[in-house]
Structure formats: structure tokens, C-alpha cells
């Protein structure tokens, strides 16, 4: 009996080791996939189209622990995963994220050839999903660590023009939003949004998105003014460029890079300071809280956190 038990224990140990080696092999294999020069399209499926405030849950790599994926996509392919409890509670905006997928999605922008991967198949994909909100790119002024591509203003103008032309031709009801930016909209305006507008005007004429994207994250203290100052700079600079501003804040929250300040207390304090200011700015059409670090989570499992309760109260 003891010998059989030892043999059985040895078998279990061997199986566990093999399983570990397989999982490590899979992990290494995924990590070794080279980063292709593909930009992202982010079409949002609005579950509550009239809601001014929604939520974000990060990329697939950040959300593999979630139990639901409404699109039946895997986190290993960097697709957005969404928890049903959050969806029901906040009227969450469901995102398709096409990033670093092998093989690439047909609607990706191939940065090496400056073209959409497959125009015909992408057109079919758009036609089958009418009425969506499309965010064209993500922090293109940043590198792959931000989900951008370190695109120049000229490269982004080319991508934006190609994408919006294709989308509108196949779905006139689509709602188009420009990329958010990693740079400040005060000091960084001239090299990002300002440069994009100038290049698009030079190459194709006036850019006509339905809304302009904006990202902001708080660090160190809840009432750091950069988050509201940057938003005001974006609005003022758009007006100075002759554009009537309509803003989608597609990401705001507490920075996950601030490992000391990333606490529920700081996230709640930031919400209570920032959201009333957003409500007072009519140009802000939608704002989406991005759950990044542990201190910014709205749910743990299916349970609403204190941060989630505060956001539910303030987002009304």
C-alpha cells in the first residue's frame, strides 16, 4: 500500500512538473512573438449609449483573471475582457482591441506598409457592426508599452484618414473618436494634436471626428491639477485651431505606475475632486474610468468595492 502510494505520489509530481513545463513553454512562446508594427483600432460597443460616465478594465494582459469575455476572445490575444457584474452596474463600454494579434485582424493598420491589413475583409467587419463608436488608435505618440506605435503626426494622419474613410463608407452611422495621447495637452499640444491637425489639413483637408480623445492619470496626490489643466488646454487649443471641441475621455484614473499612491482612498478622493469638474464642462461627452492598479478596481470578483461604490454614486 505504501509503495503504491509512493508510486502514485510520484506520478502526480511528474504530472505537475510536466504541466508546469508546458505552461512555461506556452508563456515563453507567447512572449517571444515579435511585436509587429500594427496600430490599434478600438471600436466601442456602447451598452448604455446615453450614459456620460462608463468604465474601462485595461487590456487583456491586465484582465486575464476575469470570468467573462463577452466577445468569446482570449486574453492571450490581447482582447478586452469584461466582467458581467461591471457591465450591468456601470453600462460598461465593450471594447474590441486588435493589438499584436497573430495573425493580424483585417482592420489593423500595417505600419510597415502604411495600409489597412485587408480592406475588403475590414469593410465586411465594419458593415456587420453598424452604429459603433470607433477610437482610431491609442496614444500613438507613445511606444508599444502604451499600445501606441511611436507614430509621427504624418503617419497618424495617414492612418486616421484611411480608417475613417473606410469606416464611414461602410457605416455612415459610425461615431469616430481620435486617439488619446500620452503627452500633455498643454506643453505637448504642438507636437501631437496640433501637428496631426496641420498634417491632416495639408494632406487631406479638415479632420472631422465626432469627438477628440483625451487620457489622464493622477499620481502622488488626488488634487494634482495637471489632469484638469490638460483637459482645459485641449479644449482651448482646439478652439484656437478653429474646431468646436467635443471630448471623449477614453481613459482616466489613478496611475498604476504610482505604486505608493495607488490606494482605494486616493482613487475615491480623486473621483470626488475630478468628476464634478468634468460634469461642469459641457464639451466632455463621455468619460471612462480605467481600472489599472489594485487601488482603482471597481469590482473584486462580483463584489463592488468602495471605489466602485463611490464611482457609482458620482457617475449618476
Amino acid at each position: 500500500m505504501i509503495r503504491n502510494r509512493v508510486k502514485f505520489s510520484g506520478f502526480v509530481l511528474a504530472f505537475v512538473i510536466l504541466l508546469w513545463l508546458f505552461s512555461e513553454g506556452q508563456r515563453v512562446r507567447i512572449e517571444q512573438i515579435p511585436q509587429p508594427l500594427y496600430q490599434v483600432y478600438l471600436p466601442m460597443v456602447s451598452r448604455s449609449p446615453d450614459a456620460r460616465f462608463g468604465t474601462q478594465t485595461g487590456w487583456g494582459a491586465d484582465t486575464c483573471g476575469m470570468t467573462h469575455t463577452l466577445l468569446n476572445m482570449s486574453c492571450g490575444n490581447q482582447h478586452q475582457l469584461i466582467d458581467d457584474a461591471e457591465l450591468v452596474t456601470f453600462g460598461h463600454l465593450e471594447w474590441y482591441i486588435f493589438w499584436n494579434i497573430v495573425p493580424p485582424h483585417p482592420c489593423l493598420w500595417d505600419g510597415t506598409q502604411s495600409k489597412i491589413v485587408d480592406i475588403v475583409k475590414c469593410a465586411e467587419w465594419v458593415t456587420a457592426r453598424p452604429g459603433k463608436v470607433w477610437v482610431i488608435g491609442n496614444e500613438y505618440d507613445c511606444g508599444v508599452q502604451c499600445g501606441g506605435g511611436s507614430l509621427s503626426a504624418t503617419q497618424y494622419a495617414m492612418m486616421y484618414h484611411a480608417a475613417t474613410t473606410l469606416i464611414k463608407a461602410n457605416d455612415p452611422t459610425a461615431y469616430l473618436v481620435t486617439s488619446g495621447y500620452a503627452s500633455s495637452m498643454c506643453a505637448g499640444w504642438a507636437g501631437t494634436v496640433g501637428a496631426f491637425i496641420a498634417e491632416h489639413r495639408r494632406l487631406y483637408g479638415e479632420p472631422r471626428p465626432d469627438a477628440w480623445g483625451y487620457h489622464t492619470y493622477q499620481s502622488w496626490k488626488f488634487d494634482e491639477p495637471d489632469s484638469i489643466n490638460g483637459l482645459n488646454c485641449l479644449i482651448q487649443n482646439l478652439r484656437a485651431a478653429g474646431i468646436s471641441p467635443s471630448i471623449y475621455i477614453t481613459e482616466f484614473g489613478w496611475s498604476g505606475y504610482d505604486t505608493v499612491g495607488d490606494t482605494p482612498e486616493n482613487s475615491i478622493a480623486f473621483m470626488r475632486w475630478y468628476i464634478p469638474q468634468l460634469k461642469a464642462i459641457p464639451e466632455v461627452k463621455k468619460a471612462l474610468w480605467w481600472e489599472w492598479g489594485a487601488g482603482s478596481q471597481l469590482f473584486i470578483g462580483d463584489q463592488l468595492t468602495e471605489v466602485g461604490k463611490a464611482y457609482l454614486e458620482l457617475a449618476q
Side-chain angles (χ1 to χ4, degrees), residues 13-316:
L13 179 60
F15 176 79
V16 169
I17 292 172
L18 285 172
L19 186 63
W20 177 81
L21 288 172
F22 174 78
S23 64
E24 284 296 292
Q26 290 293 98
R27 183 178 66 82
V28 171
R29 186 169 62 84
I30 291 171
E31 290 176 352
Q32 288 177 345
I33 293 174
Q35 294 279 356
L37 294 177
Y38 296 129
Q39 257 295 335
V40 285
Y41 280 12
L42 306 176
M44 300 188 296
V45 185
S46 179
R47 300 292 180 173
S48 182
D50 297 327
R52 197 175 180 198
F53 290 86
T55 66
Q56 277 268 41
T57 52
W59 287 5
D62 299 325
T63 55
C64 287
M66 288 195 170
T67 56
H68 300 91
T69 163
L70 300 183
L71 303 176
N72 296 317
M73 295 178 176
S74 67
C75 56
N77 269 346
Q78 294 287 306
H79 291 288
Q80 186 74 13
L81 305 184
I82 298 150
D83 191 284
D84 283 347
E86 186 166 329
L87 171 68
V88 171
T89 304
F90 293 105
H92 189 105
L93 293 177
E94 177 183 346
W95 292 64
Y96 305 103
I97 294 189
F98 311 137
W99 169 250
N100 193 25
I101 303 172
V102 181
H105 188 280
C107 287
L108 280 170
W109 177 254
D110 185 343
T112 60
Q113 301 185 54
S114 296
K115 70 180 186 69
I116 293 168
V117 168
D118 190 324
I119 291 178
V120 174
K121 290 183 178 179
C122 182
E124 293 172 353
W125 202 93
V126 172
T127 302
R129 295 160 177 81
K132 302 299 182 276
V133 180
W134 291 75
V135 181
I136 310 301
N138 179 70
E139 297 185 2
Y140 75 79
D141 54 326
C142 193
V144 293
Q145 73 273 18
C146 306
S150 298
L151 300 182
S152 67
T154 303
Q155 289 171 321
Y156 181 65
M158 293 169 64
M159 173 181 136
Y160 174 86
H161 177 73
T164 55
T165 300
L166 183 148
I167 292 166
K168 279 295 190 181
N170 291 278
D171 177 20
T173 67
Y175 191 93
L176 305 175
V177 183
T178 64
S179 166
Y181 297 84
S183 305
S184 164
M185 289 296 95
C186 297
W189 161 268
T192 53
V193 185
F196 158 65
I197 292 170
E199 282 300 277
H200 198 284
R201 285 171 171 170
R202 180 179 70 84
L203 294 170
Y204 310 110
E206 193 70 24
R208 302 187 186 279
D210 295 291
W212 297 80
Y214 178 70
H215 292 176
T216 188
Y217 288 98
Q218 204 75 339
S219 297
W220 311 119
K221 61 178 184 175
F222 74 87
D223 57 353
E224 171 61 47
D226 287 351
S227 55
I228 199 68
N229 290 344
L231 175 59
N232 287 327
C233 281
L234 174 61
I235 293 170
Q236 292 163 11
N237 285 322
L238 285 170
R239 285 197 182 119
I243 295 169
S244 179
S246 180
I247 308 299
Y248 257 51
I249 304 178
T250 47
E251 297 179 25
F252 81 106
W254 196 275
S255 173
Y257 294 131
D258 179 11
T259 55
V260 175
D262 175 29
T263 65
E265 292 76 16
N266 277 337
S267 284
I268 292 170
F270 172 51
M271 286 178 177
R272 296 197 181 281
W273 174 78
Y274 194 57
I275 290 176
Q277 296 184 76
L278 297 183
K279 289 181 175 180
I281 301 173
E283 291 85 358
V284 175
K285 305 304 180 186
K286 197 172 289 289
L288 307 178
W289 179 263
W290 181 283
E291 296 171 86
W292 189 344
S296 64
Q297 299 302 304
L298 304 179
F299 275 87
I300 296 178
D302 286 339
Q303 297 300 310
L304 198 63
T305 64
E306 292 303 313
V307 178
K309 291 175 185 177
Y311 190 60
L312 187 60
E313 169 201 336
L314 293 163
Q316 302 303 316

